[in-house]
Amino acid sequence: SEGKTMALPLSLLLSLSQSKDIVNALGTNVTFFTHSDQRNKAKEEESNNNKEEEEEVKYIETFQSSNSTPKLHAMDCEMVKTTKGIEVARVTLLRYKQDAATHNKEDYDVLLDTLIKPQNPILDYLTDYSGMTPQLLENVTTNLSQIQCLLLSLICKDDVIIGHSLENDLRCLRLIHGCVVDTSVIFRGRNGRKYCKFL
């Protein structure tokens, strides 16, 4: 079935990220961490190259909202290859409408569909897989930290996220979330390998 979409303006989502709940969560309930080996590697590169490295984006964790019932989301990210490895260049987040099941149809809102400026220089746009091109990302200014704030304003700890190979998406978003349904785990070939032919 064809779902109805409702794209929220980026400016509105940015304002949502400044809400009292998000500000409080960033100060108390959200866990930030950076792997020690990555931090040490960054320091070594800074010393060897004799230049200041841009601060690495930290991990964030979704938190429980006191006035929210669990929701169902679908997420997908597109990646590019940079001088520091694979980074996210686009994120899409859909929310399944809770009353859609009663009408026996798929109905959802597009909460987020945004291009992201990678933190490091791009080596390969991986266009065949990601659809990303130099033209698409040329004037993009939205960074990963801004997207993280938006995701915290849209996804709660008890919400369910559906996606394919979600560990890659969550890793590139630096997002910790426990309630997931990964279709790459559920749908596997007879040899146990991942596939998405029928998805």
Side-chain angles (χ1 to χ4, degrees), residues 5 14 20 35 50 53 57-58 66 70 77 87 92-94 98 111 116 119 126-127 129 132 147-148 164 180 196:
T5 64
L14 282 170
K20 183 177 180 181
H35 294 298
N50 195 27
E53 290 285 344
V57 178
K58 298 177 181 179
S66 59
C77 292
E87 294 188 43
T92 304
L93 182 70
L94 311 180
Q98 294 182 339
L111 300 183
I116 306 169
Q119 190 175 17
L126 306 174
T127 305
Y129 305 98
M132 295 296 100
I147 293 299
Q148 288 181 324
H164 193 78
V180 301
C196 54

PDB file of all heavy atoms in Angstrom, residues 5 14 20 35 50 53 57-58 66 70 77 87 92-94 98 111 116 119 126-127 129 132 147-148 164 180 196:
ATOM      1  N   THR A   5       2.776  10.605   3.562  1.00  0.00           N
ATOM      2  CA  THR A   5       3.969  11.132   4.183  1.00  0.00           C
ATOM      3  C   THR A   5       3.753  12.546   4.666  1.00  0.00           C
ATOM      4  O   THR A   5       2.948  13.292   4.120  1.00  0.00           O
ATOM      5  CB  THR A   5       5.160  11.122   3.202  1.00  0.00           C
ATOM      6  OG1 THR A   5       4.845  12.008   2.108  1.00  0.00           O
ATOM      7  CG2 THR A   5       5.408   9.730   2.674  1.00  0.00           C
ATOM      8  N   LEU A  14      14.839  21.086  14.669  1.00  0.00           N
ATOM      9  CA  LEU A  14      15.934  21.651  15.460  1.00  0.00           C
ATOM     10  C   LEU A  14      15.403  22.336  16.713  1.00  0.00           C
ATOM     11  O   LEU A  14      15.994  22.256  17.790  1.00  0.00           O
ATOM     12  CB  LEU A  14      16.730  22.644  14.609  1.00  0.00           C
ATOM     13  CG  LEU A  14      17.706  22.023  13.611  1.00  0.00           C
ATOM     14  CD1 LEU A  14      18.239  23.080  12.665  1.00  0.00           C
ATOM     15  CD2 LEU A  14      18.846  21.328  14.327  1.00  0.00           C
ATOM     16  N   LYS A  20      12.860  21.160  26.919  1.00  0.00           N
ATOM     17  CA  LYS A  20      13.362  20.948  28.277  1.00  0.00           C
ATOM     18  C   LYS A  20      13.749  19.501  28.508  1.00  0.00           C
ATOM     19  O   LYS A  20      14.762  19.208  29.157  1.00  0.00           O
ATOM     20  CB  LYS A  20      12.289  21.376  29.284  1.00  0.00           C
ATOM     21  CG  LYS A  20      12.726  21.255  30.734  1.00  0.00           C
ATOM     22  CD  LYS A  20      11.640  21.756  31.658  1.00  0.00           C
ATOM     23  CE  LYS A  20      12.056  21.636  33.111  1.00  0.00           C
ATOM     24  NZ  LYS A  20      11.010  22.091  34.020  1.00  0.00           N
ATOM     25  N   HIS A  35      35.304   5.326  22.598  1.00  0.00           N
ATOM     26  CA  HIS A  35      36.209   4.214  22.828  1.00  0.00           C
ATOM     27  C   HIS A  35      37.633   4.723  23.024  1.00  0.00           C
ATOM     28  O   HIS A  35      38.102   5.597  22.295  1.00  0.00           O
ATOM     29  CB  HIS A  35      36.165   3.241  21.656  1.00  0.00           C
ATOM     30  CG  HIS A  35      34.839   2.552  21.525  1.00  0.00           C
ATOM     31  ND1 HIS A  35      34.325   1.739  22.505  1.00  0.00           N
ATOM     32  CD2 HIS A  35      33.918   2.578  20.534  1.00  0.00           C
ATOM     33  CE1 HIS A  35      33.150   1.284  22.122  1.00  0.00           C
ATOM     34  NE2 HIS A  35      32.877   1.784  20.938  1.00  0.00           N
ATOM     35  N   ASN A  50      50.849  17.167  13.333  1.00  0.00           N
ATOM     36  CA  ASN A  50      51.116  18.500  13.877  1.00  0.00           C
ATOM     37  C   ASN A  50      50.001  19.480  13.537  1.00  0.00           C
ATOM     38  O   ASN A  50      50.238  20.621  13.146  1.00  0.00           O
ATOM     39  CB  ASN A  50      52.458  19.033  13.363  1.00  0.00           C
ATOM     40  CG  ASN A  50      52.932  20.233  14.174  1.00  0.00           C
ATOM     41  OD1 ASN A  50      52.586  20.364  15.355  1.00  0.00           O
ATOM     42  ND2 ASN A  50      53.706  21.106  13.551  1.00  0.00           N
ATOM     43  N   GLU A  53      42.984  18.107  15.409  1.00  0.00           N
ATOM     44  CA  GLU A  53      41.948  17.246  14.857  1.00  0.00           C
ATOM     45  C   GLU A  53      40.581  17.712  15.356  1.00  0.00           C
ATOM     46  O   GLU A  53      40.443  18.176  16.491  1.00  0.00           O
ATOM     47  CB  GLU A  53      42.168  15.787  15.308  1.00  0.00           C
ATOM     48  CG  GLU A  53      43.373  15.111  14.690  1.00  0.00           C
ATOM     49  CD  GLU A  53      43.138  14.718  13.247  1.00  0.00           C
ATOM     50  OE1 GLU A  53      41.953  14.704  12.835  1.00  0.00           O
ATOM     51  OE2 GLU A  53      44.112  14.446  12.544  1.00  0.00           O
ATOM     52  N   VAL A  57      32.586  12.943  17.270  1.00  0.00           N
ATOM     53  CA  VAL A  57      31.206  12.969  17.737  1.00  0.00           C
ATOM     54  C   VAL A  57      31.007  11.824  18.731  1.00  0.00           C
ATOM     55  O   VAL A  57      31.351  10.681  18.459  1.00  0.00           O
ATOM     56  CB  VAL A  57      30.216  12.837  16.564  1.00  0.00           C
ATOM     57  CG1 VAL A  57      28.778  12.804  17.086  1.00  0.00           C
ATOM     58  CG2 VAL A  57      30.409  13.978  15.574  1.00  0.00           C
ATOM     59  N   LYS A  58      30.422  12.137  19.894  1.00  0.00           N
ATOM     60  CA  LYS A  58      30.265  11.151  20.950  1.00  0.00           C
ATOM     61  C   LYS A  58      28.974  10.347  20.773  1.00  0.00           C
ATOM     62  O   LYS A  58      28.050  10.773  20.106  1.00  0.00           O
ATOM     63  CB  LYS A  58      30.268  11.848  22.314  1.00  0.00           C
ATOM     64  CG  LYS A  58      31.571  12.579  22.611  1.00  0.00           C
ATOM     65  CD  LYS A  58      31.499  13.310  23.936  1.00  0.00           C
ATOM     66  CE  LYS A  58      32.794  14.063  24.217  1.00  0.00           C
ATOM     67  NZ  LYS A  58      32.737  14.809  25.492  1.00  0.00           N
ATOM     68  N   SER A  66       8.423  10.315  30.053  1.00  0.00           N
ATOM     69  CA  SER A  66       7.396  10.013  31.058  1.00  0.00           C
ATOM     70  C   SER A  66       5.977  10.094  30.504  1.00  0.00           C
ATOM     71  O   SER A  66       5.052   9.539  31.077  1.00  0.00           O
ATOM     72  CB  SER A  66       7.531  10.972  32.252  1.00  0.00           C
ATOM     73  OG  SER A  66       7.400  12.318  31.807  1.00  0.00           O
ATOM     74  N   PRO A  70       5.107   3.646  23.642  1.00  0.00           N
ATOM     75  CA  PRO A  70       6.063   3.138  22.647  1.00  0.00           C
ATOM     76  C   PRO A  70       5.533   3.277  21.218  1.00  0.00           C
ATOM     77  O   PRO A  70       4.365   3.041  20.950  1.00  0.00           O
ATOM     78  CB  PRO A  70       6.215   1.670  23.047  1.00  0.00           C
ATOM     79  CG  PRO A  70       5.891   1.637  24.499  1.00  0.00           C
ATOM     80  CD  PRO A  70       4.801   2.663  24.685  1.00  0.00           C
ATOM     81  N   CYS A  77      19.955   4.458   6.672  1.00  0.00           N
ATOM     82  CA  CYS A  77      21.031   5.429   6.485  1.00  0.00           C
ATOM     83  C   CYS A  77      21.811   5.107   5.211  1.00  0.00           C
ATOM     84  O   CYS A  77      21.920   3.940   4.820  1.00  0.00           O
ATOM     85  CB  CYS A  77      21.994   5.408   7.671  1.00  0.00           C
ATOM     86  SG  CYS A  77      21.289   6.032   9.210  1.00  0.00           S
ATOM     87  N   GLU A  87      31.174   6.965   6.977  1.00  0.00           N
ATOM     88  CA  GLU A  87      30.386   7.952   7.722  1.00  0.00           C
ATOM     89  C   GLU A  87      29.007   8.091   7.084  1.00  0.00           C
ATOM     90  O   GLU A  87      28.824   7.848   5.888  1.00  0.00           O
ATOM     91  CB  GLU A  87      31.081   9.317   7.732  1.00  0.00           C
ATOM     92  CG  GLU A  87      32.392   9.337   8.497  1.00  0.00           C
ATOM     93  CD  GLU A  87      32.953  10.735   8.658  1.00  0.00           C
ATOM     94  OE1 GLU A  87      32.162  11.657   8.969  1.00  0.00           O
ATOM     95  OE2 GLU A  87      34.171  10.920   8.461  1.00  0.00           O
ATOM     96  N   THR A  92      17.029   8.562   7.125  1.00  0.00           N
ATOM     97  CA  THR A  92      15.575   8.612   6.929  1.00  0.00           C
ATOM     98  C   THR A  92      14.906   7.894   8.089  1.00  0.00           C
ATOM     99  O   THR A  92      15.304   6.790   8.455  1.00  0.00           O
ATOM    100  CB  THR A  92      15.165   7.944   5.609  1.00  0.00           C
ATOM    101  OG1 THR A  92      15.866   8.559   4.526  1.00  0.00           O
ATOM    102  CG2 THR A  92      13.669   8.067   5.374  1.00  0.00           C
ATOM    103  N   LEU A  93      13.899   8.542   8.677  1.00  0.00           N
ATOM    104  CA  LEU A  93      13.173   7.954   9.803  1.00  0.00           C
ATOM    105  C   LEU A  93      11.679   8.068   9.552  1.00  0.00           C
ATOM    106  O   LEU A  93      11.155   9.164   9.340  1.00  0.00           O
ATOM    107  CB  LEU A  93      13.546   8.672  11.103  1.00  0.00           C
ATOM    108  CG  LEU A  93      12.894   8.129  12.383  1.00  0.00           C
ATOM    109  CD1 LEU A  93      13.475   6.759  12.725  1.00  0.00           C
ATOM    110  CD2 LEU A  93      13.107   9.092  13.548  1.00  0.00           C
ATOM    111  N   LEU A  94      10.990   6.924   9.560  1.00  0.00           N
ATOM    112  CA  LEU A  94       9.537   6.874   9.392  1.00  0.00           C
ATOM    113  C   LEU A  94       8.902   6.450  10.706  1.00  0.00           C
ATOM    114  O   LEU A  94       9.483   5.685  11.469  1.00  0.00           O
ATOM    115  CB  LEU A  94       9.143   5.872   8.304  1.00  0.00           C
ATOM    116  CG  LEU A  94       9.861   5.950   6.955  1.00  0.00           C
ATOM    117  CD1 LEU A  94       9.323   4.874   6.018  1.00  0.00           C
ATOM    118  CD2 LEU A  94       9.699   7.319   6.338  1.00  0.00           C
ATOM    119  N   GLN A  98      -0.189   4.629  14.696  1.00  0.00           N
ATOM    120  CA  GLN A  98      -0.709   3.603  15.599  1.00  0.00           C
ATOM    121  C   GLN A  98      -2.121   3.159  15.249  1.00  0.00           C
ATOM    122  O   GLN A  98      -2.522   2.052  15.583  1.00  0.00           O
ATOM    123  CB  GLN A  98      -0.654   4.113  17.040  1.00  0.00           C
ATOM    124  CG  GLN A  98       0.768   4.316  17.543  1.00  0.00           C
ATOM    125  CD  GLN A  98       0.809   4.764  18.971  1.00  0.00           C
ATOM    126  OE1 GLN A  98      -0.157   5.296  19.494  1.00  0.00           O
ATOM    127  NE2 GLN A  98       1.935   4.559  19.635  1.00  0.00           N
ATOM    128  N   LEU A 111       9.320  11.407   9.383  1.00  0.00           N
ATOM    129  CA  LEU A 111       9.757  12.341  10.416  1.00  0.00           C
ATOM    130  C   LEU A 111      11.060  13.030  10.044  1.00  0.00           C
ATOM    131  O   LEU A 111      11.293  14.180  10.414  1.00  0.00           O
ATOM    132  CB  LEU A 111       9.942  11.604  11.747  1.00  0.00           C
ATOM    133  CG  LEU A 111       8.713  10.913  12.341  1.00  0.00           C
ATOM    134  CD1 LEU A 111       9.071  10.293  13.684  1.00  0.00           C
ATOM    135  CD2 LEU A 111       7.546  11.872  12.480  1.00  0.00           C
ATOM    136  N   ILE A 116      23.465  14.720   5.467  1.00  0.00           N
ATOM    137  CA  ILE A 116      24.377  15.065   6.552  1.00  0.00           C
ATOM    138  C   ILE A 116      25.772  15.313   5.990  1.00  0.00           C
ATOM    139  O   ILE A 116      26.261  14.545   5.159  1.00  0.00           O
ATOM    140  CB  ILE A 116      24.441  13.930   7.595  1.00  0.00           C
ATOM    141  CG1 ILE A 116      23.040  13.572   8.090  1.00  0.00           C
ATOM    142  CG2 ILE A 116      25.350  14.302   8.763  1.00  0.00           C
ATOM    143  CD1 ILE A 116      23.001  12.308   8.917  1.00  0.00           C
ATOM    144  N   GLN A 119      32.012  14.371   8.717  1.00  0.00           N
ATOM    145  CA  GLN A 119      32.965  15.124   9.520  1.00  0.00           C
ATOM    146  C   GLN A 119      34.325  15.243   8.827  1.00  0.00           C
ATOM    147  O   GLN A 119      35.064  16.205   9.053  1.00  0.00           O
ATOM    148  CB  GLN A 119      33.124  14.447  10.881  1.00  0.00           C
ATOM    149  CG  GLN A 119      33.899  15.250  11.907  1.00  0.00           C
ATOM    150  CD  GLN A 119      33.920  14.578  13.260  1.00  0.00           C
ATOM    151  OE1 GLN A 119      33.644  13.400  13.373  1.00  0.00           O
ATOM    152  NE2 GLN A 119      34.240  15.328  14.289  1.00  0.00           N
ATOM    153  N   LEU A 126      30.374   6.144  -2.918  1.00  0.00           N
ATOM    154  CA  LEU A 126      29.669   4.853  -2.953  1.00  0.00           C
ATOM    155  C   LEU A 126      28.312   4.999  -3.643  1.00  0.00           C
ATOM    156  O   LEU A 126      27.298   4.451  -3.197  1.00  0.00           O
ATOM    157  CB  LEU A 126      29.488   4.308  -1.532  1.00  0.00           C
ATOM    158  CG  LEU A 126      30.770   4.178  -0.687  1.00  0.00           C
ATOM    159  CD1 LEU A 126      30.430   3.759   0.738  1.00  0.00           C
ATOM    160  CD2 LEU A 126      31.734   3.191  -1.309  1.00  0.00           C
ATOM    161  N   THR A 127      28.310   5.733  -4.754  1.00  0.00           N
ATOM    162  CA  THR A 127      27.060   6.125  -5.415  1.00  0.00           C
ATOM    163  C   THR A 127      26.197   4.934  -5.801  1.00  0.00           C
ATOM    164  O   THR A 127      24.966   4.988  -5.684  1.00  0.00           O
ATOM    165  CB  THR A 127      27.375   6.983  -6.659  1.00  0.00           C
ATOM    166  OG1 THR A 127      28.193   8.088  -6.256  1.00  0.00           O
ATOM    167  CG2 THR A 127      26.096   7.500  -7.286  1.00  0.00           C
ATOM    168  N   TYR A 129      25.648   2.281  -4.328  1.00  0.00           N
ATOM    169  CA  TYR A 129      24.945   1.724  -3.180  1.00  0.00           C
ATOM    170  C   TYR A 129      24.156   2.780  -2.406  1.00  0.00           C
ATOM    171  O   TYR A 129      23.051   2.521  -1.920  1.00  0.00           O
ATOM    172  CB  TYR A 129      25.936   1.043  -2.228  1.00  0.00           C
ATOM    173  CG  TYR A 129      26.784  -0.004  -2.892  1.00  0.00           C
ATOM    174  CD1 TYR A 129      28.072   0.292  -3.323  1.00  0.00           C
ATOM    175  CD2 TYR A 129      26.294  -1.294  -3.115  1.00  0.00           C
ATOM    176  CE1 TYR A 129      28.860  -0.670  -3.951  1.00  0.00           C
ATOM    177  CE2 TYR A 129      27.061  -2.264  -3.736  1.00  0.00           C
ATOM    178  CZ  TYR A 129      28.346  -1.950  -4.154  1.00  0.00           C
ATOM    179  OH  TYR A 129      29.115  -2.884  -4.778  1.00  0.00           O
ATOM    180  N   MET A 132      24.558   8.703  -3.166  1.00  0.00           N
ATOM    181  CA  MET A 132      25.181   9.979  -2.851  1.00  0.00           C
ATOM    182  C   MET A 132      26.101  10.426  -3.988  1.00  0.00           C
ATOM    183  O   MET A 132      26.771   9.606  -4.607  1.00  0.00           O
ATOM    184  CB  MET A 132      25.995   9.893  -1.555  1.00  0.00           C
ATOM    185  CG  MET A 132      25.176   9.617  -0.302  1.00  0.00           C
ATOM    186  SD  MET A 132      24.011  10.942   0.097  1.00  0.00           S
ATOM    187  CE  MET A 132      22.481  10.271  -0.555  1.00  0.00           C
ATOM    188  N   ILE A 147      21.875  16.076  14.008  1.00  0.00           N
ATOM    189  CA  ILE A 147      20.992  14.938  13.746  1.00  0.00           C
ATOM    190  C   ILE A 147      20.773  14.133  15.024  1.00  0.00           C
ATOM    191  O   ILE A 147      19.654  13.653  15.284  1.00  0.00           O
ATOM    192  CB  ILE A 147      21.584  14.039  12.643  1.00  0.00           C
ATOM    193  CG1 ILE A 147      21.591  14.784  11.306  1.00  0.00           C
ATOM    194  CG2 ILE A 147      20.800  12.733  12.524  1.00  0.00           C
ATOM    195  CD1 ILE A 147      20.210  15.188  10.812  1.00  0.00           C
ATOM    196  N   GLN A 148      21.796  13.988  15.836  1.00  0.00           N
ATOM    197  CA  GLN A 148      21.641  13.268  17.100  1.00  0.00           C
ATOM    198  C   GLN A 148      20.606  13.940  17.998  1.00  0.00           C
ATOM    199  O   GLN A 148      19.781  13.261  18.623  1.00  0.00           O
ATOM    200  CB  GLN A 148      22.983  13.183  17.822  1.00  0.00           C
ATOM    201  CG  GLN A 148      23.971  12.224  17.197  1.00  0.00           C
ATOM    202  CD  GLN A 148      25.265  12.165  17.985  1.00  0.00           C
ATOM    203  OE1 GLN A 148      25.727  13.173  18.524  1.00  0.00           O
ATOM    204  NE2 GLN A 148      25.852  10.993  18.074  1.00  0.00           N
ATOM    205  N   HIS A 164      17.468  -2.634   8.247  1.00  0.00           N
ATOM    206  CA  HIS A 164      18.282  -3.728   7.698  1.00  0.00           C
ATOM    207  C   HIS A 164      19.745  -3.473   8.047  1.00  0.00           C
ATOM    208  O   HIS A 164      20.286  -2.427   7.727  1.00  0.00           O
ATOM    209  CB  HIS A 164      18.099  -3.806   6.180  1.00  0.00           C
ATOM    210  CG  HIS A 164      18.653  -5.070   5.592  1.00  0.00           C
ATOM    211  ND1 HIS A 164      17.990  -6.281   5.679  1.00  0.00           N
ATOM    212  CD2 HIS A 164      19.801  -5.316   4.922  1.00  0.00           C
ATOM    213  CE1 HIS A 164      18.709  -7.216   5.078  1.00  0.00           C
ATOM    214  NE2 HIS A 164      19.814  -6.655   4.609  1.00  0.00           N
ATOM    215  N   VAL A 180      15.188  -3.028  18.893  1.00  0.00           N
ATOM    216  CA  VAL A 180      15.321  -3.011  17.440  1.00  0.00           C
ATOM    217  C   VAL A 180      14.806  -4.314  16.835  1.00  0.00           C
ATOM    218  O   VAL A 180      14.782  -5.358  17.484  1.00  0.00           O
ATOM    219  CB  VAL A 180      16.786  -2.801  17.002  1.00  0.00           C
ATOM    220  CG1 VAL A 180      17.330  -1.492  17.544  1.00  0.00           C
ATOM    221  CG2 VAL A 180      17.659  -3.961  17.449  1.00  0.00           C
ATOM    222  N   CYS A 196      18.315  -9.376   1.148  1.00  0.00           N
ATOM    223  CA  CYS A 196      17.119  -8.550   1.245  1.00  0.00           C
ATOM    224  C   CYS A 196      16.344  -8.591  -0.076  1.00  0.00           C
ATOM    225  O   CYS A 196      15.721  -7.615  -0.475  1.00  0.00           O
ATOM    226  CB  CYS A 196      17.480  -7.109   1.604  1.00  0.00           C
ATOM    227  SG  CYS A 196      18.674  -6.342   0.514  1.00  0.00           S
TER     228      CYS A 196
END
